[in-house]
Amino acid sequence: MNSIYNYTLEELEQYFLEHDSKKFHALQLFLWLYDKRVESFDEMSNIKKEMIESLKKDFSIERLKIVDVQEDKDVCKYLFELADGEHIEAVLMRHDYGNSICVSSQVGCNMGCKFCESGRRKRVRNLETHEMLLQILMIEKLLRERISHVVVMGIGEPFDNYDNLIKFFQIINHPKGLAIGARHITVSTCGIVPKILEFSDFPLQINLAISLHAPNNEIRNQIMPINKVYPIGQIMEALKIYLIKTNRRVTFEYILLKDINDSEACALELSELVKDMNCYINLIPYNETNNLDFQRSNTIQIMTFYDILKRNSINVTIRREFGGNISAACGQLRSKKEEL
Ligand code: SAH
């Protein structure tokens, strides 16, 4: 059955109007779900009995099952089971500025990035809006703390599940929903150009991150098959439009893979590629996985790469490492579970 957590406030207003009821009930319902956090329709005491019956008939209010939790210092990884028995993961990171959660957007992923564990399993299906949203609600309930930051960087390609993603953003950002500020939300894409363009018209000021991982098409084609469909030039053109329309800054993620994209020449080429762009580069030490052959660059190489970007006046940071001990990189927990 259709989950009640799939609906934006406006859609619920429409539902009440269509059921000969008043639109303001939608707001009451929203408050029950996202303020009081009730888990059954019967608890919604200010909504009429007949309306409750109709809600029960039309929507489910089921949550997800948490089937595994692994904790390592300031990182906690959750494995969820969905209604159809599929598994997805979310990772909680505790920062000094608040709790941040990395949510999944699909079961499996079709992008096939060679270094990524998630891509070993083809996309089975998109997550519905409620399956993304409940990752947050359920972790908040377990923690008894608020999640202040959300990154859509878990399993899946969010721009390959665009409509459900947009509704997810609308609900979590809504002041009567989870009220997570748009500037505290980030979506990461491998570079689906038409969706980058569409996203540049989306009114919320959500941060955009691009998984670049290579300074040229030759290297990117080897590690990211999607580059053959949307090569770097097209991504850069789309980003120019995005930057003009939104007046925001874009982030490039760049995993450093030993002997593949971590040379000094690559650092120079990358500097050249992004210079004059309102962006910053997040260098990511690769999280090695048993199933794939890639290796992380050594620390000296990482620092040299960083220095070259700095010297070329590029805004750059090295991602603080989280969760190596609990296989927190994309897709690793689910693969472990399925090997068991
Ligand atoms: N499909 C989206 C979001 C999911 S991947 C995207 O491509 O951006 C989220 C980020 O984690 C991407 O930058 C991805 O390249 C990176 N990633 C995947 N496997 C990794 C690993 N083993 N170590 C470090 N980063 C990894």
Side-chain angles (χ1 to χ4, degrees):
M1 207 196 296
N2 218 338
S3 168
I4 192 75
Y5 299 105
N6 279 338
Y7 293 89
T8 61
L9 183 61
E10 291 69 29
E11 288 171 332
L12 291 173
E13 287 176 345
Q14 198 55 37
Y15 174 85
F16 282 99
L17 290 175
E18 280 163 12
H19 286 74
D20 298 328
S21 193
K22 295 275 188 319
K23 168 169 142 173
F24 71 83
H25 287 313
L27 185 57
Q28 293 175 327
L29 176 57
F30 232 57
L31 292 173
W32 285 116
L33 293 176
Y34 302 116
D35 183 29
K36 305 259 188 333
R37 309 271 171 112
V38 300
E39 295 185 31
S40 78
F41 289 115
D42 289 319
E43 289 170 78
M44 302 180 177
S45 52
N46 58 0
I47 300 181
K48 279 206 222 98
K49 274 268 165 335
E50 310 86 77
M51 208 53 234
I52 294 282
E53 289 313 312
S54 144
L55 288 169
K56 280 187 186 166
K57 186 164 64 60
D58 294 332
F59 305 105
S60 111
I61 191 170
E62 289 300 302
R63 296 192 160 206
L64 312 176
K65 256 193 249 161
I66 295 185
V67 291
D68 194 7
V69 180
Q70 289 185 23
E71 204 161 355
D72 181 24
K73 294 187 205 114
D74 39 14
V75 189
C76 197
K77 183 142 181 165
Y78 303 84
L79 189 71
F80 294 93
E81 190 170 298
L82 308 177
D84 61 359
E86 292 292 349
H87 291 103
I88 52 161
E89 346 171 321
V91 181
L92 169 82
M93 290 156 284
R94 292 173 183 278
H95 299 275
D96 39 16
Y97 56 76
N99 291 321
S100 160
I101 165 183
C102 173
V103 305
S104 292
S105 58
Q106 296 180 318
V107 177
C109 180
N110 269 350
M111 299 303 128
C113 300
K114 297 282 193 287
F115 48 81
C116 177
E117 188 78 18
S118 308
R120 293 205 308 133
R121 189 179 186 209
K122 285 262 163 279
R123 181 183 69 189
V124 176
R125 65 174 178 86
N126 284 334
L127 291 190
E128 289 185 35
T129 298
H130 75 277
E131 291 167 320
M132 291 187 251
L133 188 122
L134 283 167
Q135 295 172 53
I136 305 177
L137 276 190
M138 301 204 49
I139 293 175
E140 282 191 333
K141 184 179 171 194
L142 265 188
L143 283 184
R144 295 165 184 269
E145 281 175 41
R146 186 168 183 270
I147 286 168
S148 55
H149 291 68
V150 173
V151 296
V152 189
M153 289 189 190
I155 300 176
E157 169 48 49
F159 278 4
D160 189 28
N161 184 14
Y162 192 78
D163 295 345
N164 292 337
L165 177 80
I166 292 297
K167 283 218 273 174
F168 166 72
F169 287 153
Q170 286 168 334
I171 301 171
I172 65 171
N173 174 252
H174 197 286
K176 303 292 183 196
L178 297 185
I180 299 174
R183 286 160 189 267
H184 288 186
I185 306 173
T186 302
V187 58
S188 172
T189 176
C190 62
I192 314 280
V193 166
K195 296 300 173 190
I196 295 175
L197 293 171
E198 202 172 332
F199 195 61
S200 61
D201 289 321
F202 184 57
L204 301 182
Q205 304 225 307
I206 287 169
N207 305 304
L208 178 64
I210 306 287
S211 292
L212 188 61
H213 307 327
N216 60 46
N217 287 324
E218 199 188 330
I219 300 178
R220 204 166 189 263
N221 282 342
Q222 285 168 27
I223 54 177
M224 298 180 71
I226 190 68
N227 197 62
K228 296 191 180 125
V229 187
Y230 303 117
I232 293 179
Q234 283 189 30
I235 297 177
M236 292 299 168
E237 283 307 309
L239 288 178
K240 270 187 204 147
I241 295 171
Y242 171 88
L243 291 172
I244 290 169
K245 282 193 176 170
T246 62
N247 205 13
R248 297 186 59 69
R249 185 161 77 162
V250 69
T251 302
F252 290 107
E253 295 155 278
Y254 194 103
I255 301 179
L256 287 161
L257 300 163
K258 189 172 185 326
D259 298 333
I260 294 189
N261 64 359
D262 65 347
S263 67
E264 294 180 22
C266 282
L268 280 171
E269 205 175 350
L270 180 60
S271 309
E272 196 56 33
L273 180 70
V274 304
K275 72 166 196 239
D276 306 329
M277 203 170 188
N278 188 12
C279 70
Y280 93 91
I281 295 191
N282 198 357
L283 297 177
I284 308 174
Y286 182 58
N287 212 331
E288 288 180 13
T289 129
N290 291 338
N291 303 309
L292 303 168
D293 285 337
F294 294 90
Q295 287 169 343
R296 103 173 13 216
S297 306
N298 63 42
T299 309
I300 293 177
Q301 200 66 28
I302 295 176
M303 290 318 295
T304 308
F305 202 97
Y306 172 87
D307 284 342
I308 293 174
L309 292 175
K310 270 268 172 227
R311 262 188 274 128
N312 283 280
S313 312
I314 308 293
N315 299 312
V316 55
T317 50
I318 299 177
R319 182 178 289 175
R320 183 180 147 204
E321 283 199 75
F322 276 108
N325 295 340
I326 56 167
S327 309
C330 217
Q332 291 182 341
L333 190 67
R334 189 199 54 78
S335 343
K336 270 200 178 156
K337 163 104 186 160
E338 282 168 20
E339 277 156 18
L340 291 176

